Short mmCIF file of all heavy atoms in Angstrom, two decimals:
data_model
loop_
_atom_site.label_atom_id
_atom_site.label_comp_id
_atom_site.label_asym_id
_atom_site.label_seq_id
_atom_site.Cartn_x
_atom_site.Cartn_y
_atom_site.Cartn_z
N MET A 1 -37.15 -38.96 59.21
CA MET A 1 -37.33 -40.08 58.30
C MET A 1 -37.13 -39.48 56.90
O MET A 1 -37.56 -38.49 56.46
CB MET A 1 -38.69 -40.53 58.48
CG MET A 1 -39.25 -41.49 57.40
SD MET A 1 -40.99 -41.88 57.50
CE MET A 1 -41.22 -42.60 58.99
N GLN A 2 -36.39 -40.30 56.07
CA GLN A 2 -36.13 -39.85 54.71
C GLN A 2 -37.23 -40.48 53.82
O GLN A 2 -37.58 -41.63 53.92
CB GLN A 2 -34.75 -40.33 54.25
CG GLN A 2 -33.75 -39.28 54.46
CD GLN A 2 -32.86 -39.17 53.21
OE1 GLN A 2 -32.24 -40.07 52.74
NE2 GLN A 2 -32.70 -37.91 52.75
N ILE A 3 -37.85 -39.70 53.04
CA ILE A 3 -38.72 -40.17 52.04
C ILE A 3 -38.48 -39.81 50.59
O ILE A 3 -37.58 -38.90 50.45
CB ILE A 3 -40.30 -39.71 52.48
CG1 ILE A 3 -40.42 -38.20 52.24
CG2 ILE A 3 -40.68 -40.20 53.87
CD1 ILE A 3 -41.76 -37.64 52.33
N VAL A 4 -39.15 -40.32 49.63
CA VAL A 4 -39.21 -39.73 48.26
C VAL A 4 -40.58 -39.33 48.02
O VAL A 4 -41.53 -40.09 48.04
CB VAL A 4 -38.70 -40.90 47.30
CG1 VAL A 4 -38.77 -40.29 45.93
CG2 VAL A 4 -37.35 -41.36 47.64
N LEU A 5 -40.70 -38.08 47.76
CA LEU A 5 -41.98 -37.43 47.52
C LEU A 5 -42.31 -37.53 46.06
O LEU A 5 -41.60 -37.08 45.23
CB LEU A 5 -42.12 -36.00 47.97
CG LEU A 5 -43.47 -35.29 47.81
CD1 LEU A 5 -44.47 -35.97 48.57
CD2 LEU A 5 -43.26 -33.79 48.17
N VAL A 6 -43.38 -38.33 45.67
CA VAL A 6 -43.63 -38.52 44.36
C VAL A 6 -45.09 -37.93 44.06
O VAL A 6 -46.17 -38.44 44.51
CB VAL A 6 -43.81 -40.06 43.95
CG1 VAL A 6 -44.11 -40.25 42.47
CG2 VAL A 6 -42.40 -40.71 44.28
N GLU A 7 -45.19 -36.76 43.45
CA GLU A 7 -46.46 -36.08 43.12
C GLU A 7 -46.86 -36.21 41.74
O GLU A 7 -45.92 -36.25 40.77
CB GLU A 7 -46.27 -34.64 43.53
CG GLU A 7 -45.99 -34.32 45.03
CD GLU A 7 -45.75 -32.93 45.17
OE1 GLU A 7 -44.53 -32.43 44.92
OE2 GLU A 7 -46.50 -32.27 45.79
N PRO A 8 -48.12 -36.23 41.44
CA PRO A 8 -48.52 -36.34 39.97
C PRO A 8 -47.93 -35.30 39.04
O PRO A 8 -48.03 -34.06 39.48
CB PRO A 8 -50.05 -36.19 40.00
CG PRO A 8 -50.39 -36.60 41.42
CD PRO A 8 -49.23 -36.18 42.27
N GLY A 9 -47.35 -35.63 37.95
CA GLY A 9 -46.82 -34.58 37.04
C GLY A 9 -45.59 -33.83 37.45
O GLY A 9 -45.18 -33.01 36.73
N LYS A 10 -44.85 -34.39 38.51
CA LYS A 10 -43.71 -33.77 38.97
C LYS A 10 -42.58 -34.74 39.03
O LYS A 10 -42.88 -35.95 39.18
CB LYS A 10 -43.89 -33.10 40.37
CG LYS A 10 -44.87 -31.87 40.33
CD LYS A 10 -45.02 -31.33 41.71
CE LYS A 10 -46.04 -30.16 41.67
NZ LYS A 10 -46.22 -29.56 42.96
N ILE A 11 -41.41 -34.22 39.12
CA ILE A 11 -40.21 -35.10 39.39
C ILE A 11 -40.12 -35.54 40.86
O ILE A 11 -40.27 -34.77 41.70
CB ILE A 11 -38.93 -34.41 38.85
CG1 ILE A 11 -38.99 -34.08 37.42
CG2 ILE A 11 -37.66 -35.21 39.28
CD1 ILE A 11 -37.78 -33.25 36.82
N ALA A 12 -39.79 -36.83 41.08
CA ALA A 12 -39.78 -37.41 42.45
C ALA A 12 -38.61 -36.66 43.02
O ALA A 12 -37.56 -36.37 42.40
CB ALA A 12 -39.57 -38.89 42.51
N ARG A 13 -38.77 -36.35 44.41
CA ARG A 13 -37.56 -35.66 45.08
C ARG A 13 -37.50 -36.23 46.50
O ARG A 13 -38.53 -36.58 47.18
CB ARG A 13 -37.81 -34.23 45.14
CG ARG A 13 -39.02 -33.68 45.77
CD ARG A 13 -39.26 -32.27 45.60
NE ARG A 13 -40.56 -31.72 45.96
CZ ARG A 13 -40.79 -31.32 47.28
NH1 ARG A 13 -39.81 -31.21 48.10
NH2 ARG A 13 -42.05 -30.99 47.59
N PRO A 14 -36.17 -36.29 47.02
CA PRO A 14 -36.07 -36.73 48.40
C PRO A 14 -36.47 -35.57 49.38
O PRO A 14 -36.42 -34.38 49.04
CB PRO A 14 -34.60 -36.98 48.52
CG PRO A 14 -33.86 -36.23 47.39
CD PRO A 14 -34.97 -36.10 46.43
N MET A 15 -36.87 -35.99 50.55
CA MET A 15 -37.44 -35.04 51.58
C MET A 15 -37.16 -35.71 52.95
O MET A 15 -37.34 -36.92 53.09
CB MET A 15 -38.92 -34.86 51.22
CG MET A 15 -39.57 -33.82 52.12
SD MET A 15 -41.39 -33.66 51.49
CE MET A 15 -41.91 -32.37 52.53
N ASP A 16 -36.96 -34.92 53.97
CA ASP A 16 -36.83 -35.34 55.26
C ASP A 16 -38.12 -34.98 56.09
O ASP A 16 -38.49 -33.72 55.87
CB ASP A 16 -35.52 -34.69 56.04
CG ASP A 16 -34.29 -35.43 55.62
OD1 ASP A 16 -34.38 -36.65 55.53
OD2 ASP A 16 -33.32 -34.70 55.36
N ILE A 17 -38.69 -35.86 56.70
CA ILE A 17 -39.89 -35.59 57.64
C ILE A 17 -39.75 -36.14 59.04
O ILE A 17 -38.87 -36.93 59.24
CB ILE A 17 -41.22 -35.99 56.96
CG1 ILE A 17 -41.28 -37.60 56.89
CG2 ILE A 17 -41.35 -35.37 55.54
CD1 ILE A 17 -42.73 -38.09 56.47
N LYS A 18 -40.59 -35.71 59.86
CA LYS A 18 -40.47 -36.21 61.32
C LYS A 18 -41.05 -37.72 61.36
O LYS A 18 -40.77 -38.43 62.20
CB LYS A 18 -41.21 -35.38 62.31
CG LYS A 18 -40.50 -34.08 62.39
CD LYS A 18 -41.27 -33.07 63.40
CE LYS A 18 -40.62 -31.77 63.42
NZ LYS A 18 -41.39 -30.79 64.23
N GLY A 19 -42.04 -37.96 60.43
CA GLY A 19 -42.62 -39.19 60.41
C GLY A 19 -43.84 -39.36 61.29
O GLY A 19 -44.29 -40.36 61.63
N GLU A 20 -44.45 -38.14 61.65
CA GLU A 20 -45.73 -38.14 62.51
C GLU A 20 -46.87 -38.28 61.59
O GLU A 20 -46.91 -37.85 60.37
CB GLU A 20 -45.62 -36.84 63.27
CG GLU A 20 -44.39 -36.75 64.22
CD GLU A 20 -44.32 -35.39 64.89
OE1 GLU A 20 -45.12 -34.51 64.67
OE2 GLU A 20 -43.52 -35.37 65.81
N LEU A 21 -47.91 -38.81 62.14
CA LEU A 21 -49.15 -39.09 61.43
C LEU A 21 -49.72 -37.78 60.76
O LEU A 21 -50.09 -37.79 59.67
CB LEU A 21 -50.13 -39.80 62.31
CG LEU A 21 -51.61 -40.05 61.74
CD1 LEU A 21 -51.46 -40.85 60.51
CD2 LEU A 21 -52.52 -40.50 62.82
N HIS A 22 -49.92 -36.77 61.56
CA HIS A 22 -50.46 -35.52 61.12
C HIS A 22 -49.62 -34.90 59.96
O HIS A 22 -50.22 -34.34 59.00
CB HIS A 22 -50.76 -34.51 62.22
CG HIS A 22 -49.40 -33.80 62.72
ND1 HIS A 22 -48.78 -34.48 63.64
CD2 HIS A 22 -48.91 -32.67 62.41
CE1 HIS A 22 -47.67 -33.68 63.98
NE2 HIS A 22 -47.72 -32.65 63.22
N GLU A 23 -48.28 -35.08 60.10
CA GLU A 23 -47.38 -34.66 58.97
C GLU A 23 -47.64 -35.36 57.61
O GLU A 23 -47.73 -34.83 56.50
CB GLU A 23 -46.01 -34.70 59.41
CG GLU A 23 -45.03 -34.17 58.32
CD GLU A 23 -43.56 -34.35 58.83
OE1 GLU A 23 -43.28 -35.25 59.65
OE2 GLU A 23 -42.75 -33.60 58.60
N MET A 24 -47.80 -36.73 57.74
CA MET A 24 -47.92 -37.56 56.50
C MET A 24 -49.44 -37.23 55.91
O MET A 24 -49.52 -37.19 54.76
CB MET A 24 -47.87 -39.04 56.90
CG MET A 24 -46.42 -39.41 57.04
SD MET A 24 -46.24 -41.13 57.33
CE MET A 24 -46.39 -41.30 58.97
N GLN A 25 -50.39 -37.00 56.76
CA GLN A 25 -51.69 -36.67 56.35
C GLN A 25 -51.72 -35.31 55.63
O GLN A 25 -52.41 -35.15 54.63
CB GLN A 25 -52.64 -36.65 57.46
CG GLN A 25 -53.02 -38.03 58.02
CD GLN A 25 -53.81 -38.00 59.24
OE1 GLN A 25 -53.80 -37.15 60.13
NE2 GLN A 25 -54.63 -39.10 59.57
N GLN A 26 -50.88 -34.40 56.10
CA GLN A 26 -50.87 -33.15 55.42
C GLN A 26 -50.13 -33.23 54.11
O GLN A 26 -50.57 -32.55 53.21
CB GLN A 26 -50.02 -32.14 56.42
CG GLN A 26 -49.90 -30.77 55.89
CD GLN A 26 -49.21 -29.74 56.79
OE1 GLN A 26 -48.34 -30.23 57.53
NE2 GLN A 26 -49.58 -28.56 56.88
N ILE A 27 -49.17 -33.99 53.98
CA ILE A 27 -48.49 -34.24 52.67
C ILE A 27 -49.38 -34.81 51.70
O ILE A 27 -49.43 -34.37 50.48
CB ILE A 27 -47.30 -35.05 52.81
CG1 ILE A 27 -46.12 -34.30 53.58
CG2 ILE A 27 -46.62 -35.48 51.43
CD1 ILE A 27 -45.04 -35.16 54.08
N VAL A 28 -50.22 -35.78 52.01
CA VAL A 28 -51.10 -36.36 50.99
C VAL A 28 -52.50 -35.78 50.97
O VAL A 28 -53.35 -36.11 50.06
CB VAL A 28 -51.25 -37.98 51.27
CG1 VAL A 28 -49.97 -38.73 51.26
CG2 VAL A 28 -52.03 -38.27 52.53
N GLY A 29 -52.78 -34.77 51.85
CA GLY A 29 -53.99 -34.12 51.83
C GLY A 29 -55.21 -34.89 52.28
O GLY A 29 -56.39 -34.64 51.79
N GLY A 30 -55.03 -35.78 53.33
CA GLY A 30 -56.16 -36.45 53.87
C GLY A 30 -55.65 -37.62 54.71
O GLY A 30 -54.41 -37.69 54.99
N THR A 31 -56.64 -38.58 54.94
CA THR A 31 -56.17 -39.72 55.69
C THR A 31 -55.24 -40.62 54.77
O THR A 31 -55.26 -40.58 53.67
CB THR A 31 -57.43 -40.61 56.05
OG1 THR A 31 -58.14 -40.99 54.81
CG2 THR A 31 -58.34 -39.81 57.03
N ILE A 32 -54.35 -41.27 55.51
CA ILE A 32 -53.32 -42.08 54.76
C ILE A 32 -53.66 -43.51 54.76
O ILE A 32 -54.33 -44.10 55.44
CB ILE A 32 -51.83 -41.88 55.36
CG1 ILE A 32 -51.83 -42.44 56.80
CG2 ILE A 32 -51.56 -40.38 55.30
CD1 ILE A 32 -50.37 -42.50 57.31
N GLN A 33 -53.04 -44.12 53.68
CA GLN A 33 -53.09 -45.62 53.46
C GLN A 33 -51.61 -46.01 53.31
O GLN A 33 -51.06 -45.43 52.35
CB GLN A 33 -54.04 -45.95 52.46
CG GLN A 33 -53.96 -47.52 52.14
CD GLN A 33 -54.92 -47.94 50.92
OE1 GLN A 33 -55.30 -47.15 50.19
NE2 GLN A 33 -55.28 -49.17 50.80
N ALA A 34 -51.09 -47.06 53.91
CA ALA A 34 -49.74 -47.63 53.64
C ALA A 34 -49.92 -48.93 52.82
O ALA A 34 -50.71 -49.69 53.16
CB ALA A 34 -49.12 -47.91 54.93
N LEU A 35 -49.10 -48.97 51.71
CA LEU A 35 -49.07 -50.15 50.86
C LEU A 35 -47.64 -50.68 51.07
O LEU A 35 -46.66 -49.93 50.93
CB LEU A 35 -49.47 -49.80 49.45
CG LEU A 35 -50.76 -49.10 49.26
CD1 LEU A 35 -50.92 -48.46 47.91
CD2 LEU A 35 -51.89 -49.92 49.54
N TYR A 36 -47.58 -51.94 50.93
CA TYR A 36 -46.15 -52.69 50.95
C TYR A 36 -46.17 -53.55 49.80
O TYR A 36 -46.41 -54.77 49.86
CB TYR A 36 -45.98 -53.44 52.26
CG TYR A 36 -46.21 -52.44 53.40
CD1 TYR A 36 -47.30 -52.26 54.17
CD2 TYR A 36 -45.03 -51.89 53.96
CE1 TYR A 36 -47.44 -51.35 55.19
CE2 TYR A 36 -45.01 -51.06 55.03
CZ TYR A 36 -46.19 -50.76 55.70
OH TYR A 36 -46.44 -49.99 56.78
N PRO A 37 -45.90 -53.09 48.56
CA PRO A 37 -46.00 -53.86 47.33
C PRO A 37 -44.82 -54.80 47.01
O PRO A 37 -44.85 -55.59 46.14
CB PRO A 37 -46.12 -52.83 46.25
CG PRO A 37 -45.48 -51.63 46.69
CD PRO A 37 -45.61 -51.63 48.21
N TRP A 38 -43.75 -54.58 47.82
CA TRP A 38 -42.46 -55.37 47.50
C TRP A 38 -42.01 -56.08 48.87
O TRP A 38 -42.46 -55.68 49.98
CB TRP A 38 -41.42 -54.43 47.01
CG TRP A 38 -41.80 -53.70 45.82
CD1 TRP A 38 -41.96 -54.15 44.52
CD2 TRP A 38 -42.11 -52.26 45.67
NE1 TRP A 38 -42.48 -53.17 43.71
CE2 TRP A 38 -42.32 -51.96 44.36
CE3 TRP A 38 -42.09 -51.21 46.64
CZ2 TRP A 38 -42.71 -50.68 43.95
CZ3 TRP A 38 -42.34 -49.90 46.23
CH2 TRP A 38 -42.77 -49.72 44.89
N ALA A 39 -41.10 -57.10 48.63
CA ALA A 39 -40.51 -57.72 49.76
C ALA A 39 -39.59 -56.80 50.61
O ALA A 39 -39.33 -57.03 51.83
CB ALA A 39 -39.78 -58.98 49.38
N ASP A 40 -39.03 -55.69 49.87
CA ASP A 40 -38.05 -54.85 50.59
C ASP A 40 -38.90 -54.01 51.67
O ASP A 40 -40.07 -53.85 51.49
CB ASP A 40 -37.53 -53.88 49.56
CG ASP A 40 -36.64 -54.49 48.47
OD1 ASP A 40 -35.98 -55.47 48.97
OD2 ASP A 40 -36.74 -54.15 47.38
N PRO A 41 -38.21 -53.49 52.64
CA PRO A 41 -38.91 -52.65 53.67
C PRO A 41 -39.25 -51.30 53.28
O PRO A 41 -38.67 -50.39 53.65
CB PRO A 41 -37.87 -52.72 54.89
CG PRO A 41 -36.55 -52.90 54.22
CD PRO A 41 -36.78 -53.69 52.93
N VAL A 42 -40.08 -51.23 52.25
CA VAL A 42 -40.47 -49.97 51.70
C VAL A 42 -42.06 -49.89 51.72
O VAL A 42 -42.77 -50.78 51.36
CB VAL A 42 -40.04 -49.80 50.23
CG1 VAL A 42 -40.57 -48.58 49.51
CG2 VAL A 42 -38.56 -49.99 50.10
N ALA A 43 -42.52 -48.72 52.25
CA ALA A 43 -43.92 -48.48 52.25
C ALA A 43 -44.28 -47.33 51.22
O ALA A 43 -43.50 -46.37 51.14
CB ALA A 43 -44.50 -48.13 53.63
N LEU A 44 -45.43 -47.51 50.60
CA LEU A 44 -46.00 -46.30 49.81
C LEU A 44 -47.08 -45.83 50.64
O LEU A 44 -48.03 -46.49 51.04
CB LEU A 44 -46.56 -46.92 48.37
CG LEU A 44 -45.49 -47.59 47.60
CD1 LEU A 44 -46.12 -48.02 46.27
CD2 LEU A 44 -44.20 -46.66 47.28
N ILE A 45 -47.08 -44.47 50.80
CA ILE A 45 -48.10 -43.82 51.63
C ILE A 45 -48.99 -43.01 50.67
O ILE A 45 -48.27 -42.16 49.95
CB ILE A 45 -47.57 -42.97 52.75
CG1 ILE A 45 -46.54 -43.74 53.70
CG2 ILE A 45 -48.56 -42.34 53.64
CD1 ILE A 45 -47.20 -44.90 54.35
N CYS A 46 -50.17 -43.15 50.61
CA CYS A 46 -51.01 -42.33 49.84
C CYS A 46 -52.35 -41.92 50.45
O CYS A 46 -52.55 -42.26 51.62
CB CYS A 46 -51.51 -43.24 48.54
SG CYS A 46 -52.35 -44.77 48.94
N ASN A 47 -53.08 -41.11 49.82
CA ASN A 47 -54.39 -40.60 50.38
C ASN A 47 -55.37 -41.67 50.20
O ASN A 47 -55.63 -42.24 49.10
CB ASN A 47 -54.84 -39.35 49.54
CG ASN A 47 -56.08 -38.79 50.06
OD1 ASN A 47 -57.08 -39.43 50.45
ND2 ASN A 47 -56.13 -37.40 50.22
N ASP A 48 -55.96 -42.19 51.26
CA ASP A 48 -56.85 -43.26 51.35
C ASP A 48 -58.05 -43.05 50.52
O ASP A 48 -58.61 -44.00 50.07
CB ASP A 48 -57.16 -43.57 52.80
CG ASP A 48 -57.96 -44.82 53.07
OD1 ASP A 48 -57.60 -45.87 52.44
OD2 ASP A 48 -58.90 -44.83 53.81
N GLU A 49 -58.57 -41.75 50.51
CA GLU A 49 -59.70 -41.59 49.67
C GLU A 49 -59.43 -40.70 48.44
O GLU A 49 -60.36 -40.17 47.87
CB GLU A 49 -60.64 -40.80 50.68
CG GLU A 49 -61.16 -41.53 51.76
CD GLU A 49 -62.01 -40.80 52.77
OE1 GLU A 49 -62.09 -39.59 52.68
OE2 GLU A 49 -62.69 -41.50 53.54
N GLY A 50 -58.27 -40.73 47.92
CA GLY A 50 -57.88 -39.95 46.77
C GLY A 50 -58.70 -40.38 45.55
O GLY A 50 -59.12 -39.39 44.82
N LYS A 51 -58.94 -41.61 45.23
CA LYS A 51 -59.78 -42.00 44.13
C LYS A 51 -61.24 -41.43 44.29
O LYS A 51 -61.80 -40.87 43.34
CB LYS A 51 -59.72 -43.55 43.90
CG LYS A 51 -60.32 -44.01 42.67
CD LYS A 51 -60.10 -45.53 42.52
CE LYS A 51 -60.64 -46.01 41.28
NZ LYS A 51 -60.46 -47.46 41.10
N LEU A 52 -61.76 -41.55 45.44
CA LEU A 52 -63.07 -41.17 45.60
C LEU A 52 -63.26 -39.72 45.54
O LEU A 52 -64.28 -39.09 45.19
CB LEU A 52 -63.64 -41.66 47.07
CG LEU A 52 -63.79 -43.08 47.24
CD1 LEU A 52 -64.06 -43.38 48.70
CD2 LEU A 52 -64.83 -43.63 46.40
N ASP A 53 -62.22 -38.91 45.95
CA ASP A 53 -62.19 -37.45 45.90
C ASP A 53 -61.79 -36.96 44.55
O ASP A 53 -61.79 -35.77 44.37
CB ASP A 53 -61.18 -36.99 47.00
CG ASP A 53 -61.57 -37.16 48.36
OD1 ASP A 53 -62.81 -37.51 48.66
OD2 ASP A 53 -60.80 -37.07 49.36
N GLY A 54 -61.56 -37.76 43.53
CA GLY A 54 -61.19 -37.39 42.29
C GLY A 54 -59.72 -36.76 42.11
O GLY A 54 -59.46 -36.03 41.24
N LEU A 55 -58.78 -37.19 42.93
CA LEU A 55 -57.44 -36.64 42.91
C LEU A 55 -56.74 -37.15 41.57
O LEU A 55 -57.21 -38.31 41.10
CB LEU A 55 -56.65 -37.04 44.19
CG LEU A 55 -57.06 -36.43 45.40
CD1 LEU A 55 -56.20 -36.90 46.56
CD2 LEU A 55 -57.10 -34.86 45.41
N PRO A 56 -55.88 -36.45 41.02
CA PRO A 56 -55.24 -37.00 39.80
C PRO A 56 -54.39 -38.20 40.07
O PRO A 56 -53.87 -38.50 41.18
CB PRO A 56 -54.26 -35.80 39.37
CG PRO A 56 -54.14 -35.04 40.65
CD PRO A 56 -55.35 -35.24 41.47
N LEU A 57 -54.40 -39.08 39.02
CA LEU A 57 -53.55 -40.34 39.13
C LEU A 57 -52.15 -40.06 39.20
O LEU A 57 -51.72 -39.01 38.69
CB LEU A 57 -53.95 -41.17 38.03
CG LEU A 57 -55.40 -41.69 37.85
CD1 LEU A 57 -55.47 -42.56 36.50
CD2 LEU A 57 -55.77 -42.49 39.02
N ASN A 58 -51.40 -40.85 39.82
CA ASN A 58 -49.92 -40.70 39.98
C ASN A 58 -49.19 -41.71 39.13
O ASN A 58 -49.55 -41.88 37.98
CB ASN A 58 -49.63 -40.80 41.52
CG ASN A 58 -48.30 -40.03 41.81
OD1 ASN A 58 -47.37 -39.96 40.96
ND2 ASN A 58 -48.27 -39.44 42.96
N ARG A 59 -48.23 -42.49 39.69
CA ARG A 59 -47.60 -43.42 38.87
C ARG A 59 -48.28 -44.80 38.92
O ARG A 59 -49.08 -45.11 39.74
CB ARG A 59 -46.11 -43.73 39.54
CG ARG A 59 -45.36 -42.37 39.77
CD ARG A 59 -45.13 -41.48 38.54
NE ARG A 59 -44.06 -40.53 38.64
CZ ARG A 59 -44.13 -39.37 39.16
NH1 ARG A 59 -45.38 -38.90 39.70
NH2 ARG A 59 -43.16 -38.50 39.23
N VAL A 60 -47.88 -45.70 38.00
CA VAL A 60 -48.27 -47.04 37.90
C VAL A 60 -47.36 -47.97 38.49
O VAL A 60 -46.16 -47.87 38.15
CB VAL A 60 -48.62 -47.38 36.36
CG1 VAL A 60 -48.99 -48.86 36.23
CG2 VAL A 60 -49.64 -46.56 35.75
N LEU A 61 -47.85 -48.94 39.25
CA LEU A 61 -47.04 -50.06 39.81
C LEU A 61 -47.15 -51.21 39.02
O LEU A 61 -48.21 -51.78 38.72
CB LEU A 61 -47.51 -50.33 41.25
CG LEU A 61 -47.22 -49.30 42.31
CD1 LEU A 61 -47.77 -49.86 43.67
CD2 LEU A 61 -45.78 -48.90 42.44
N GLU A 62 -45.99 -51.72 38.44
CA GLU A 62 -45.97 -52.86 37.64
C GLU A 62 -45.00 -53.80 38.09
O GLU A 62 -44.03 -53.42 38.77
CB GLU A 62 -45.62 -52.57 36.14
CG GLU A 62 -46.78 -51.64 35.47
CD GLU A 62 -46.38 -51.32 33.97
OE1 GLU A 62 -45.37 -50.80 33.83
OE2 GLU A 62 -47.18 -51.56 33.18
N ASP A 63 -45.04 -55.17 37.83
CA ASP A 63 -44.12 -56.16 38.12
C ASP A 63 -42.87 -55.98 37.29
O ASP A 63 -42.92 -55.58 36.12
CB ASP A 63 -44.67 -57.51 38.06
CG ASP A 63 -45.72 -57.86 39.07
OD1 ASP A 63 -45.77 -57.16 40.18
OD2 ASP A 63 -46.60 -58.81 38.81
#
């Protein structure tokens, strides 16, 4: 599965992963949450408890 890895304070970069749950959890550092903010078939995967854990903010989604 091709993804774009977007980390706080870093340049986004393409990456190939297997798409397995444990792999995605490892990338985000915890349990995952999938968001579908657009009509396009694109999912944003983030750490489900990142805000509670005090993780740094990433990008802003705007219309």
Side-chain angles (χ1 to χ4, degrees):
M1 169 189 298
Q2 270 226 303
I3 67 167
V4 177
L5 182 60
V6 182
E7 299 174 283
K10 296 183 180 178
I11 295 172
R13 61 186 170 93
M15 184 177 184
D16 285 316
I17 64 171
K18 293 178 185 173
E20 297 173 354
L21 176 61
H22 72 276
E23 183 181 26
M24 288 185 267
Q25 289 174 330
Q26 185 177 29
I27 291 170
V28 302
T31 57
I32 64 170
Q33 177 181 14
L35 306 168
Y36 300 91
W38 304 290
D40 296 322
V42 174
L44 302 179
I45 307 297
C46 61
N47 184 314
D48 188 40
E49 297 179 342
K51 190 173 183 179
L52 297 173
D53 292 343
L55 295 179
L57 298 176
N58 206 327
R59 311 302 198 273
V60 175
L61 293 178
E62 296 181 304
D63 289 339

